[in-house]
Amino acid sequence: MAIGTPLTKFLLEEQRRYPESTGNFTSLFSDLVLAAKIISREVNRAGLIDILGSTGSQNVQGEEVQKLDELANEMLIKTMEHGGHLSGMASEEMEEIVKVDGRFPRGSYLLLFDPLDGSSNIDVNISVGTIFSILKCPSAETTTKDFLQPGTRQVCAGYILYGSSTMLVYTTGHGVHGFTLDPSVGEFLLSHEDIRIPDKGKTYSINEGNSKHWFPATSMYIEKLKASEKGCSARYVGSLVADFHRNLLKGGIFLYPADKKSKNGKLRLLYEANPLSFIVEQAGGKSSTGDKRILEIVPEELHQRTPLIIGSKADVEEAESFWKYQEA
Ligand code: AHM
Ligand code: MG
């Protein structure tokens, strides 16, 4: 489709390719896009709100000054619960799931999200993002167990990156597409159709401050990259979604491995690793714990963590070849 095509038109065209489609998913996605636009506006105003926010609790309009990650969380829940397309939601910011049945019409999808990934970067004006994953609800009652599905069952995954522009990148299992928000018309416009991640990159992203805790596999792999002829560069924003996005477009590898301090790594399987793994695979890349495909992990808990090695296929495969040295 032509560059500049509005997301709404793109979604409708996609829907028409599947005659059995009820339009429910398109409508669910439109609600999500609305939430993304509102969060984008709040992220862009964040610095200003701080200035105007006097001593902390109220801004000059007398409104509560709320932490942006909490605000993004609430915004997503409020925007999504009315639509009638969801049976439940789970968020990195909340201990328990949110059921929508009872208060609003119950739909057939589950929405999982990290409302504002990289939130430690908000105060310093560095890119943050919202990551989401959509599953079908397998039961008539929404329970936590319904959310514990392997990533291979995702029907859609994506992220919104609040960077120098706001971008939405998503997949429904038919390639990965990127849209850039044009603030003058308030629409996401197609800017990156059918994104393919380069098979090999020259960038690695890892928190080297953790190197004293690393297992030998991680140390050996990173040393190998530093010594390589091709000349690798380190790039680590500290917002997964921003590091991932750069590597998706330019090629490269992101690692948040297990180490002696964090036996399961840091990142969350359901809100971060699964959605980005679905995207990377759809773009021709790869994602792994070091010895297993992320998307095949059967989750045991809602907030389960996982080691994550994700990016260009050849780079992830090279990293995996070092993981056979991993200590138990
Ligand atoms: P968050 O979801 O609470 O923001 O935490 C996840 C973030 C990722 O965006 C980022 O890659 C990682 O944590 C950075 O962690 P560290 O500071 O340990 O390197
Ligand atoms: Mg996060």
Side-chain angles (χ1 to χ4, degrees), residues 104-155:
F104 301 102
R106 183 177 191 271
S108 56
Y109 291 101
L110 299 172
L111 176 68
L112 299 85
F113 52 84
D114 178 354
L116 215 53
D117 174 63
S119 44
S120 65
N121 279 326
I122 297 167
D123 291 345
V124 288
N125 211 353
I126 287 178
S127 300
V128 290
T130 299
I131 310 176
F132 62 90
S133 162
I134 300 172
L135 297 164
K136 275 278 193 186
C137 185
S139 74
E141 292 285 319
T142 315
T143 64
T144 301
K145 196 165 162 276
D146 294 324
F147 290 81
L148 305 181
Q149 302 182 43
T152 46
R153 301 240 186 98
Q154 291 171 102
V155 293

Side-chain angles (χ1 to χ4, degrees), residues 159-174:
Y159 58 84
I160 301 101
L161 175 65
Y162 313 106
S164 46
S165 301
T166 294
M167 269 198 77
L168 181 147
V169 174
Y170 83 98
T171 185
T172 52
H174 305 281

Side-chain angles (χ1 to χ4, degrees), residues 64-296:
E64 286 285 302
V65 175
Q66 200 177 13
K67 278 180 67 194
L68 260 185
D69 43 3
E70 288 166 11
L71 186 138
N73 192 54
E74 260 179 43
M75 195 56 67
L76 278 159
I77 292 167
K78 279 193 189 146
T79 316
M80 301 306 298
E81 65 186 356
H82 293 266
H85 310 299
L86 291 178
S87 36
M89 286 179 262
S91 162
E92 194 191 287
E93 290 288 323
M94 293 182 305
E95 212 46 52
E96 306 290 339
I97 62 164
V98 177
K99 297 185 192 195
V100 299
D101 38 340
R103 293 179 298 140
F104 301 102
R106 183 177 191 271
S108 56
Y109 291 101
L110 299 172
L111 176 68
L112 299 85
F113 52 84
D114 178 354
L116 215 53
D117 174 63
S119 44
S120 65
N121 279 326
I122 297 167
D123 291 345
V124 288
N125 211 353
I126 287 178
S127 300
V128 290
T130 299
I131 310 176
F132 62 90
S133 162
I134 300 172
L135 297 164
K136 275 278 193 186
C137 185
S139 74
E141 292 285 319
T142 315
T143 64
T144 301
K145 196 165 162 276
D146 294 324
F147 290 81
L148 305 181
Q149 302 182 43
T152 46
R153 301 240 186 98
Q154 291 171 102
V155 293
C156 177
Y159 58 84
I160 301 101
L161 175 65
Y162 313 106
S164 46
S165 301
T166 294
M167 269 198 77
L168 181 147
V169 174
Y170 83 98
T171 185
T172 52
H174 305 281
V176 180
H177 309 296
F179 296 79
T180 302
L181 183 64
D182 179 344
S184 64
V185 290
E187 264 281 14
F188 281 100
L189 306 178
L190 181 63
S191 52
H192 300 69
E193 190 173 19
D194 197 16
I195 298 171
R196 306 295 299 166
I197 183 169
D199 194 50
K200 240 180 153 4
K202 286 186 170 181
T203 303
Y204 69 94
S205 319
I206 190 167
N207 184 344
E208 293 215 52
N210 289 334
S211 61
K212 59 182 174 300
H213 305 297
W214 287 350
F215 290 123
T218 313
S219 309
M220 287 163 70
Y221 174 61
I222 298 299
E223 282 314 309
K224 153 92 189 9
L225 290 180
K226 288 180 178 172
S228 77
E229 291 292 313
K230 67 178 180 181
C232 279
S233 292
R235 293 281 183 277
Y236 191 75
V237 175
S239 286
L240 170 64
V241 67
D243 279 313
F244 176 84
H245 183 71
R246 183 201 53 246
N247 292 352
L248 181 70
L249 297 185
K250 304 261 186 206
I253 185 167
F254 174 97
L255 304 97
Y256 212 116
D259 63 25
K260 291 172 199 152
K261 202 175 71 178
S262 321
K263 292 278 155 61
N264 296 312
K266 173 185 180 184
L267 300 170
R268 312 287 179 153
L269 176 61
L270 295 178
Y271 316 108
E272 293 167 324
N274 269 345
L276 298 186
S277 299
F278 189 21
I279 293 169
V280 88
E281 287 198 6
Q282 280 293 313
K286 193 163 176 167
S287 121
S288 166
T289 60
D291 55 20
K292 293 200 276 298
R293 184 179 171 215
I294 293 283
L295 291 180
E296 287 175 10

Side-chain angles (χ1 to χ4, degrees), residues 308-320:
L308 178 65
I309 302 173
I310 189 166
S312 292
K313 188 160 182 278
D315 293 335
V316 174
E317 281 169 358
E318 186 185 33
E320 282 180 319

